[in-house]
Amino acid sequence: MPSSTPPEEDRDHTPAAPAPQGPPVLPVTFRPQRTRIVALCVGVVMFVVITVVSLLLDSAAPWEQASFVVLAAIFLGVLAVLSRPKVVAEAGGLTVVNLTNVRRLAWAEVLRVNLRQGDPWVFLDLSDGTSLPVMGIQPGIARQSAIRDALALRALVDAYGTGTESAGPSGGTGGDAR
Protein backbone atom coordinates (compact mmCIF):
# COMPACT_ATOMS: atom_id res chain seq x y z
CA MET A 1 0.00 0.00 0.00
CA PRO A 2 1.46 3.41 -0.96
CA SER A 3 2.43 5.84 1.73
CA SER A 4 0.06 8.74 2.37
CA THR A 5 2.97 11.18 2.50
CA PRO A 6 4.71 11.88 -0.80
CA PRO A 7 8.50 11.58 -0.90
CA GLU A 8 10.50 14.74 -0.19
CA GLU A 9 11.42 15.24 -3.84
CA ASP A 10 7.73 15.20 -4.87
CA ARG A 11 6.81 17.82 -2.28
CA ASP A 12 9.55 20.12 -3.58
CA HIS A 13 8.06 20.10 -7.08
CA THR A 14 4.56 21.16 -6.00
CA PRO A 15 4.93 23.63 -3.15
CA ALA A 16 1.91 25.76 -4.06
CA ALA A 17 -0.76 23.06 -4.34
CA PRO A 18 0.09 19.50 -3.38
CA ALA A 19 -1.60 16.79 -5.40
CA PRO A 20 -4.62 15.29 -3.69
CA GLN A 21 -4.14 11.82 -2.18
CA GLY A 22 -7.03 10.48 -4.21
CA PRO A 23 -10.22 11.59 -5.86
CA PRO A 24 -12.75 13.37 -3.66
CA VAL A 25 -15.87 11.58 -2.54
CA LEU A 26 -18.76 11.94 -4.99
CA PRO A 27 -20.89 13.94 -5.43
CA VAL A 28 -18.75 17.07 -5.34
CA THR A 29 -19.39 20.58 -6.64
CA PHE A 30 -16.64 22.93 -7.77
CA ARG A 31 -17.41 26.63 -8.07
CA PRO A 32 -15.50 29.91 -7.68
CA GLN A 33 -16.71 30.77 -4.17
CA ARG A 34 -15.05 34.18 -3.80
CA THR A 35 -16.22 35.37 -7.21
CA ARG A 36 -19.73 34.15 -6.44
CA ILE A 37 -19.82 35.86 -3.04
CA VAL A 38 -18.47 39.15 -4.39
CA ALA A 39 -20.84 39.20 -7.40
CA LEU A 40 -23.94 38.39 -5.36
CA CYS A 41 -23.09 40.78 -2.53
CA VAL A 42 -22.36 43.63 -4.94
CA GLY A 43 -25.59 42.86 -6.79
CA VAL A 44 -27.74 42.87 -3.67
CA VAL A 45 -26.12 46.01 -2.24
CA MET A 46 -26.46 47.78 -5.58
CA PHE A 47 -30.13 46.74 -5.86
CA VAL A 48 -30.92 48.00 -2.36
CA VAL A 49 -29.07 51.32 -2.81
CA ILE A 50 -30.61 52.09 -6.21
CA THR A 51 -34.07 51.13 -4.96
CA VAL A 52 -33.80 53.27 -1.82
CA VAL A 53 -32.41 56.24 -3.75
CA SER A 54 -35.17 55.97 -6.37
CA LEU A 55 -37.85 55.89 -3.64
CA LEU A 56 -36.32 58.94 -1.94
CA LEU A 57 -36.49 61.03 -5.11
CA ASP A 58 -39.55 63.19 -4.44
CA SER A 59 -39.38 64.95 -7.80
CA ALA A 60 -39.40 61.69 -9.78
CA ALA A 61 -42.60 60.34 -11.24
CA PRO A 62 -43.68 56.87 -10.12
CA TRP A 63 -42.76 55.40 -13.52
CA GLU A 64 -39.26 56.89 -13.19
CA GLN A 65 -38.87 55.36 -9.76
CA ALA A 66 -40.05 52.02 -11.12
CA SER A 67 -37.56 52.25 -14.00
CA PHE A 68 -34.72 52.64 -11.47
CA VAL A 69 -35.90 49.54 -9.60
CA VAL A 70 -36.18 47.57 -12.85
CA LEU A 71 -32.68 48.66 -13.88
CA ALA A 72 -31.34 47.60 -10.46
CA ALA A 73 -33.06 44.22 -10.86
CA ILE A 74 -31.44 43.80 -14.29
CA PHE A 75 -27.99 44.53 -12.81
CA LEU A 76 -28.65 42.01 -10.03
CA GLY A 77 -29.77 39.46 -12.62
CA VAL A 78 -26.60 39.93 -14.68
CA LEU A 79 -24.43 39.48 -11.61
CA ALA A 80 -26.44 36.39 -10.62
CA VAL A 81 -25.76 34.89 -14.07
CA LEU A 82 -22.04 35.70 -13.66
CA SER A 83 -22.06 33.82 -10.35
CA ARG A 84 -23.75 30.73 -11.87
CA PRO A 85 -20.79 28.65 -13.20
CA LYS A 86 -20.07 25.37 -11.44
CA VAL A 87 -19.08 21.78 -12.09
CA VAL A 88 -20.93 18.92 -10.43
CA ALA A 89 -19.18 15.55 -10.41
CA GLU A 90 -21.40 12.54 -9.72
CA ALA A 91 -21.01 8.82 -10.21
CA GLY A 92 -22.63 9.05 -13.65
CA GLY A 93 -20.44 11.87 -14.95
CA LEU A 94 -19.95 15.62 -14.93
CA THR A 95 -22.42 18.45 -15.25
CA VAL A 96 -20.74 21.64 -16.46
CA VAL A 97 -22.77 24.80 -15.84
CA ASN A 98 -21.37 27.88 -17.58
CA LEU A 99 -23.00 31.29 -17.95
CA THR A 100 -25.85 30.38 -20.27
CA ASN A 101 -25.55 26.66 -20.94
CA VAL A 102 -25.46 23.36 -19.11
CA ARG A 103 -23.71 20.30 -20.51
CA ARG A 104 -23.87 16.79 -19.09
CA LEU A 105 -20.85 14.57 -19.80
CA ALA A 106 -20.26 10.90 -19.12
CA TRP A 107 -16.88 10.19 -17.55
CA ALA A 108 -15.77 8.38 -20.72
CA GLU A 109 -16.21 11.59 -22.74
CA VAL A 110 -13.57 13.48 -20.73
CA LEU A 111 -10.01 12.72 -21.80
CA ARG A 112 -8.04 15.42 -20.04
CA VAL A 113 -8.35 18.33 -17.61
CA ASN A 114 -6.26 21.39 -18.55
CA LEU A 115 -5.38 24.44 -16.48
CA ARG A 116 -2.35 26.08 -18.02
CA GLN A 117 -0.61 29.24 -16.90
CA GLY A 118 -2.70 32.22 -18.02
CA ASP A 119 -5.89 30.26 -18.72
CA PRO A 120 -9.01 32.06 -17.41
CA TRP A 121 -10.55 28.72 -16.39
CA VAL A 122 -10.19 24.97 -16.77
CA PHE A 123 -10.69 23.33 -20.16
CA LEU A 124 -11.77 19.74 -20.72
CA ASP A 125 -10.47 17.83 -23.75
CA LEU A 126 -13.36 15.67 -24.91
CA SER A 127 -13.42 12.41 -26.83
CA ASP A 128 -15.14 14.09 -29.81
CA GLY A 129 -12.02 16.24 -30.38
CA THR A 130 -13.44 19.43 -28.90
CA SER A 131 -12.48 21.39 -25.83
CA LEU A 132 -15.07 22.52 -23.29
CA PRO A 133 -14.47 25.55 -21.05
CA VAL A 134 -15.30 24.91 -17.40
CA MET A 135 -15.94 28.33 -15.89
CA GLY A 136 -16.67 26.74 -12.51
CA ILE A 137 -12.93 26.45 -11.84
CA GLN A 138 -11.23 29.78 -12.48
CA PRO A 139 -7.96 30.98 -10.97
CA GLY A 140 -8.80 34.71 -11.13
CA ILE A 141 -9.33 35.67 -7.47
CA ALA A 142 -8.52 32.37 -5.73
CA ARG A 143 -5.65 30.80 -7.64
CA GLN A 144 -4.70 28.17 -5.05
CA SER A 145 -8.29 27.05 -4.66
CA ALA A 146 -8.65 26.74 -8.46
CA ILE A 147 -5.47 24.68 -8.69
CA ARG A 148 -6.67 22.42 -5.89
CA ASP A 149 -10.06 22.00 -7.60
CA ALA A 150 -8.43 21.32 -10.99
CA LEU A 151 -6.23 18.64 -9.42
CA ALA A 152 -9.25 17.08 -7.71
CA LEU A 153 -11.18 17.08 -11.00
CA ARG A 154 -8.17 15.46 -12.70
CA ALA A 155 -8.10 12.77 -10.04
CA LEU A 156 -11.79 12.12 -10.64
CA VAL A 157 -11.29 11.92 -14.42
CA ASP A 158 -8.36 9.55 -13.90
CA ALA A 159 -10.39 7.41 -11.50
CA TYR A 160 -13.71 7.29 -13.36
CA GLY A 161 -12.85 8.16 -16.96
CA THR A 162 -12.02 5.63 -19.61
CA GLY A 163 -10.42 8.02 -22.09
CA THR A 164 -8.13 6.50 -24.68
CA GLU A 165 -5.65 9.35 -25.04
CA SER A 166 -2.16 8.59 -23.74
CA ALA A 167 -1.12 10.15 -20.46
CA GLY A 168 2.19 11.72 -21.43
CA PRO A 169 4.82 13.02 -19.02
CA SER A 170 2.43 15.09 -16.91
CA GLY A 171 0.22 12.13 -16.04
CA GLY A 172 -2.55 12.92 -18.51
CA THR A 173 -3.17 16.35 -17.11
CA GLY A 174 -2.53 18.19 -20.36
CA GLY A 175 -0.89 21.19 -18.82
CA ASP A 176 0.67 22.84 -15.88
CA ALA A 177 -1.68 23.11 -12.89
CA ARG A 178 0.81 24.88 -10.66
Side-chain angles (χ1 to χ4, degrees):
M1 178 171 205
S3 169
S4 63
T5 305
E8 282 297 320
E9 60 271 16
D10 288 347
R11 279 187 266 164
D12 292 339
H13 288 84
T14 57
Q21 297 299 322
V25 177
L26 296 178
V28 63
T29 301
F30 302 105
R31 68 174 35 167
Q33 291 294 348
R34 288 184 189 169
T35 302
R36 180 177 171 85
I37 290 168
V38 168
L40 291 176
C41 287
V42 166
V44 168
V45 167
M46 189 172 59
F47 178 80
V48 169
V49 168
I50 292 174
T51 300
V52 168
V53 168
S54 72
L55 295 176
L56 292 176
L57 292 174
D58 293 331
S59 62
W63 67 269
E64 289 175 318
Q65 291 175 329
S67 69
F68 278 110
V69 174
V70 168
L71 183 63
I74 290 171
F75 284 145
L76 177 58
V78 168
L79 289 173
V81 168
L82 290 174
S83 69
R84 183 175 183 238
K86 66 180 177 179
V87 182
V88 180
E90 300 170 314
L94 290 174
T95 302
V96 177
V97 179
N98 286 330
L99 294 178
T100 58
N101 62 350
V102 177
R103 182 152 178 205
R104 179 85 177 128
L105 300 166
W107 287 111
E109 293 180 77
V110 182
L111 299 178
R112 185 176 296 186
V113 176
N114 295 309
L115 179 58
R116 293 177 290 267
Q117 185 72 25
D119 280 350
W121 39 71
V122 165
F123 289 89
L124 300 178
D125 289 341
L126 304 179
S127 60
D128 65 0
T130 62
S131 182
L132 177 67
V134 178
M135 298 175 77
I137 302 175
Q138 45 185 269
I141 294 176
R143 179 172 163 69
Q144 295 306 318
S145 175
I147 291 170
R148 186 176 52 252
D149 290 349
L151 289 171
L153 184 57
R154 272 186 202 159
L156 287 168
V157 168
D158 289 344
Y160 294 101
T162 59
T164 57
E165 196 166 301
S166 63
S170 61
T173 57
D176 184 15
R178 283 180 271 204

